């Protein structure tokens, strides 16, 4: 039987350099790990946001990773353990993240698809959802002018 590949969260993706202890960033909140990881991997200094912003973003599962996209076009892997997002490109943040009410249920649903690259999920309320929930169509309007009283 093939191994179970879990949906990836920020704390499992943004890890310290392999030359450092694996638990080096254990005390760093998941949203802030992206900044440490970018500094290490890209070799550039970046400053995490200081204050929260009014913006709210929706988290989604994209090819087996919890992600969110910034207004600047960048994106990052996120985590329900730390539902906020700060952009490592434009510096915008900390924006609040909307996750599903039952994250574990969504992740369990994703595991039903054995091919991780096909695991995708959008929140029903996300305006970017390519498959929004179907709502009942409005009743037909009688356009025949003879039917008006």
């Amino acid at each position: 039987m093939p191994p179970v590949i879990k949906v990836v969260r920020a704390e499992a993706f943004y890890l310290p350099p392999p030359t450092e202890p694996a638990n080096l960033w254990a005390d760093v909140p998941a949203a802030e790990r992206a900044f440490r990881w970018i500094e290490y991997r890209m070799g550039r200094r970046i400053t995490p946001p200081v204050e929260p912003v009014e913006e709210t973003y929706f988290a989604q599962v994209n090819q087996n990773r919890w992600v969110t996209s910034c207004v600047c076009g960048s994106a990052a892997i996120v985590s329900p353990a730390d539902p906020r997002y700060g952009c490592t490109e434009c510096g915008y943040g900390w924006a609040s993240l909307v996750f599903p009410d039952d994250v574990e249920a969504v992740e369990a649903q994703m595991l039903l698809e054995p091919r991780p690259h096909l695991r995708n999920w959008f929140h029903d309320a996300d305006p970017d959802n390519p498959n929004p929930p179907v709502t009942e169509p409005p009743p037909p309007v009688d356009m025949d002018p003879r039917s008006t009283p």
Side-chain angles (χ1 to χ4, degrees), residues 46-139:
I46 53 175
T47 304
V50 177
E51 298 292 325
V53 294
E54 295 295 321
E55 195 80 25
T56 298
Y57 294 147
F58 285 89
Q60 64 182 354
V61 176
N62 176 267
Q63 296 185 344
N64 204 49
R65 303 162 297 185
W66 281 108
V67 299
T68 198
S69 299
C70 183
V71 293
C72 77
S74 185
I77 297 174
V78 295
S79 174
D82 187 3
R84 60 195 175 122
Y85 171 74
C87 185
T88 59
E89 285 297 316
C90 73
Y92 189 68
W94 295 108
S96 296
L97 290 175
V98 177
F99 281 88
D101 292 334
D102 192 347
V103 171
E104 288 75 22
V106 170
E107 290 180 345
Q109 176 188 356
M110 294 293 99
L111 293 178
L112 297 176
E113 169 56 61
R115 299 161 294 180
H117 64 283
L118 296 179
R119 295 178 185 163
N120 298 289
W121 176 89
F122 283 83
H123 197 285
D124 286 345
D126 188 342
D128 294 331
N129 186 342
N131 301 306
V134 178
T135 58
E136 292 296 319

Side-chain angles (χ1 to χ4, degrees), residues 3 5 8-9 21-22 42 49 90 100 121 132 138-139 145:
I5 300 173
V8 178
R9 296 179 177 194
M42 304 297 255
C90 73
W121 176 89

